[in-house]
Amino acid sequence: MPISGKLKSPTFLENQKVSRFNYPEIFVLILTVGLIALHYAFSPSSMALLAIVVLPSLMILVYNYQRPPSFWTSNIVVVLLSTIIGNIQFCTVVSLSLAMLIGVRIILNTPNERFKLVVVSAVTTIIFYYVSVTLNGDMIDCHNGLLSPIVLVASIITILWKFWDIHHKYVSYDRAAQQAKGRLNTMVSVINKLTRFIPPQVWQPIVKSDSSVSVNNKRAKLSIMFSDIAGFTELSDSLSSDDLADILNTYMKCMTVIANKHGAMLDKFVGDGMVCFFGEPSSRGTRQDALDCVAMAIDMRRAMRSLRQEWRLMGFEGLYVRIGITTGYCHVGNFGSNNRLSYTIIGKEANLASRLESMAGKGDILISQSTYDYICHDYECKYAGTYQLKGFDEAINAWQVLDPDANKGSLSRWVDHTLPGFNLHLNFKDMQNYDYQEIKNKLNFALERIEKEEKRIALHEKREK
């Protein structure tokens, strides 16, 4: 099931909006004006107050049942509460009881709406206070009887009920937030694992901009590299599956680090081979893309020397990388269907890079004429010949990229020489200053052993004569 399918089901937070009546003050309003009318023996002013308050209260009760709260409804409730306070001329207990309800209602609104409600409440209270004084004089007495205690108790119950409701919502929201956090952490963990199967150049723009993903590709000029391990097929026949997997994983790990360092788009692994290209989705210019591709290939060849030395010590001989590179137009983008997509390249130039790789010798980097034209001023190359490759009508000129350190003599950062029974591999780039003495001791010891063996062989030949 897709991850998004789990997020479509209704949550508690969505149901919470329509599960309760958010204005319990309405019941206190109706109760208060009813008691006021009873307290003043249904006098005209008390009946007018009853009508003014009850009718809008009933409309709010009907209209806002199972609806989320709104500023305008809160505004009407505050006006009705303030009307009663002003009409009873600030009767102490009743006024304080209703003022607490106004305070709760103001607190429950957003910060930018609270000041508006305070102003509305103050203006309404003052207006109806003067209306009450004009109609009734200063003779209102609401301290006797049950009016004050009943309104006070009703207000306290309403406030406590509202407090319990808010607490219940908070607990529910917190529980839902923890569940959402757990789901989010799970999704992040899953996405982090899935990104290992997708090049960062593909998934990072999708994550950053939430861009749409569909079957979409375009024609672009790319520098494409195919590589594999020469001798791996023959070696695999004599190795166990565990050793084979260890060699392949070590090789892929090392090559992936180099590809990422140079900014290559790592398209795919094909057995012991890999496909990389430069130019999309981000390009530094066609020439620079070609230079970056060749630089990456040279680093891969150098790294293969160190790996080959490690494998020799393990008893695995004769593993070399061979690489083919070309520059030209291909179609690149998302291929497949809406259910399964692959960001890859398709075109004649991709086939050419594959053919050049198959023609390369052990440790060789073969490039096409188009790539040579871009990089020949920066890298020394040797003409490798003209090849009639499968799938190409015209003969293809190929060039071999030489190691930039090969002609530096004593300044070379690499020394790699192999003869039957002899293997010398020096990587000055990775050597540490404190290791030089130990290396010299090992070389002197090897030289002494060679001299002794040479004398022994010479003495043996002399005796035979």
Side-chain angles (χ1 to χ4, degrees):
M1 177 183 294
I3 295 176
S4 59
K6 297 182 179 179
L7 302 178
K8 293 181 179 179
S9 59
T11 63
F12 177 84
L13 296 180
E14 293 171 346
N15 295 331
Q16 194 72 4
K17 293 181 179 180
V18 295
S19 62
R20 299 178 184 277
F21 179 63
N22 293 283
Y23 295 95
E25 302 96 320
I26 295 299
F27 300 109
V28 179
L29 280 169
I30 296 174
L31 175 63
T32 302
V33 293
L35 291 174
I36 290 175
L38 181 63
H39 182 77
Y40 294 108
F42 302 102
S43 63
S45 60
S46 65
M47 292 302 295
L49 180 63
L50 180 67
I52 291 173
V53 173
V54 170
L55 290 178
S57 297
L58 292 176
M59 292 177 61
I60 293 173
L61 182 62
V62 173
Y63 180 77
N64 286 90
Y65 182 69
Q66 292 189 343
R67 287 178 182 267
S70 66
F71 169 72
W72 291 109
T73 305
S74 299
N75 192 44
I76 294 173
V77 172
V78 170
V79 167
L80 294 177
L81 289 168
S82 301
T83 299
I84 297 176
I85 294 175
N87 193 266
I88 62 175
Q89 300 178 11
F90 300 106
C91 181
T92 307
V93 178
V94 177
S95 297
L96 288 176
S97 302
L98 300 182
M100 288 191 297
L101 297 180
I102 293 175
V104 171
R105 180 50 52 191
I106 291 174
I107 292 173
L108 292 178
N109 276 268
T110 58
N112 59 331
E113 295 172 348
R114 290 171 185 165
F115 179 74
K116 299 176 184 178
L117 293 176
V118 171
V119 173
V120 167
S121 175
V123 172
T124 304
T125 302
I126 294 172
I127 291 174
F128 277 90
Y129 171 77
Y130 284 105
V131 169
S132 176
V133 170
T134 302
L135 295 177
N136 303 314
D138 297 328
M139 303 300 295
I140 288 183
D141 181 15
C142 59
H143 298 288
N144 298 324
L146 298 176
L147 174 61
S148 295
I150 292 177
V151 174
L152 177 61
V153 172
S155 299
I156 293 174
I157 292 174
T158 301
I159 293 172
L160 292 176
W161 183 88
K162 200 64 183 176
F163 173 80
W164 175 86
D165 182 58
I166 293 173
H167 174 72
H168 176 71
K169 288 182 180 179
Y170 169 79
V171 172
S172 302
Y173 290 167
D174 184 66
R175 186 184 306 114
Q178 293 299 326
Q179 294 174 354
K181 181 180 179 181
R183 290 195 297 269
L184 180 61
N185 290 337
T186 301
M187 291 177 62
V188 170
S189 176
V190 172
I191 291 173
N192 286 336
K193 295 174 183 177
L194 291 176
T195 54
R196 299 182 183 181
F197 297 89
I198 307 173
Q201 295 93 332
V202 174
W203 65 262
Q204 285 180 350
I206 297 174
V207 172
K208 290 180 180 179
S209 61
D210 193 21
S211 57
S212 60
V213 179
S214 60
V215 178
N216 183 29
N217 50 78
K218 64 179 180 180
R219 190 168 179 264
K221 198 166 190 179
L222 310 174
S223 289
I224 308 162
M225 185 209 76
F226 274 66
S227 72
D228 75 347
I229 304 176
F232 185 80
T233 303
E234 294 78 5
L235 183 65
S236 63
D237 295 334
S238 60
L239 289 181
S240 66
S241 58
D242 292 339
D243 290 336
L244 197 65
D246 182 65
I247 290 176
L248 193 57
N249 288 332
T250 303
Y251 168 76
M252 293 299 183
K253 179 181 178 181
C254 181
M255 298 301 125
T256 300
V257 170
I258 295 173
N260 291 337
K261 182 184 74 173
H262 288 272
M265 168 66 76
L266 178 52
D267 186 355
K268 62 176 73 73
F269 295 113
V270 185
D272 61 321
M274 61 188 300
V275 183
C276 298
F277 61 87
F278 292 80
E280 281 294 325
S282 59
S283 174
R284 300 174 60 192
T286 304
R287 181 175 182 273
Q288 189 60 49
D289 291 338
L291 289 171
D292 291 340
C293 190
V294 172
M296 177 187 67
I298 292 174
D299 280 352
M300 288 180 173
R301 180 168 61 183
R302 289 170 177 168
M304 193 64 177
R305 295 174 181 173
S306 299
L307 292 177
R308 186 163 59 248
Q309 176 64 16
E310 294 180 12
W311 292 334
R312 281 182 184 138
L313 298 177
M314 298 169 61
F316 310 134
E317 294 280 354
L319 294 178
Y320 294 81
V321 66
R322 59 185 181 185
I323 297 172
I325 298 175
T326 187
T327 302
Y329 284 96
C330 282
H331 276 83
V332 56
N334 298 324
F335 292 87
S337 67
N338 290 329
N339 294 327
R340 176 68 180 272
L341 294 173
S342 175
Y343 190 91
T344 187
I345 54 175
I346 294 177
K348 187 176 181 180
E349 296 298 328
N351 296 333
L352 176 56
S354 177
R355 299 287 187 268
L356 289 173
E357 177 265 318
S358 63
M359 296 299 298
K362 294 181 177 180
D364 288 345
I365 302 173
L366 281 188
I367 62 175
S368 66
Q369 182 69 44
S370 58
T371 304
Y372 173 78
D373 293 337
Y374 285 114
I375 64 100
C376 61
H377 298 292
D378 295 83
Y379 292 97
E380 185 177 358
C381 302
K382 180 177 72 175
Y383 182 67
T386 302
Y387 299 93
Q388 191 66 48
L389 302 178
K390 181 180 179 182
F392 295 86
D393 297 331
E394 298 180 357
I396 303 298
N397 292 325
W399 296 79
Q400 180 181 344
V401 180
L402 302 179
D403 194 328
D405 290 334
N407 297 324
K408 291 182 180 179
S410 60
L411 298 179
S412 175
R413 307 296 294 171
W414 295 82
V415 176
D416 194 11
H417 190 66
T418 302
L419 290 173
F422 173 77
N423 172 39
L424 177 63
H425 174 76
L426 298 177
N427 180 2
F428 293 97
K429 183 179 179 181
D430 295 336
M431 285 184 185
Q432 304 297 329
N433 294 337
Y434 48 78
D435 289 333
Y436 285 157
Q437 187 59 47
E438 183 177 355
I439 293 172
K440 289 167 64 177
N441 293 337
K442 293 293 183 182
L443 290 174
N444 290 331
F445 175 76
L447 184 60
E448 292 176 1
R449 289 285 291 110
I450 291 173
E451 291 175 351
K452 289 181 180 179
E453 186 67 17
E454 188 179 22
K455 291 179 181 180
R456 186 188 66 80
I457 293 175
L459 181 61
H460 178 71
E461 290 177 350
K462 184 178 180 180
R463 288 176 179 177
E464 287 183 350
K465 292 179 180 180

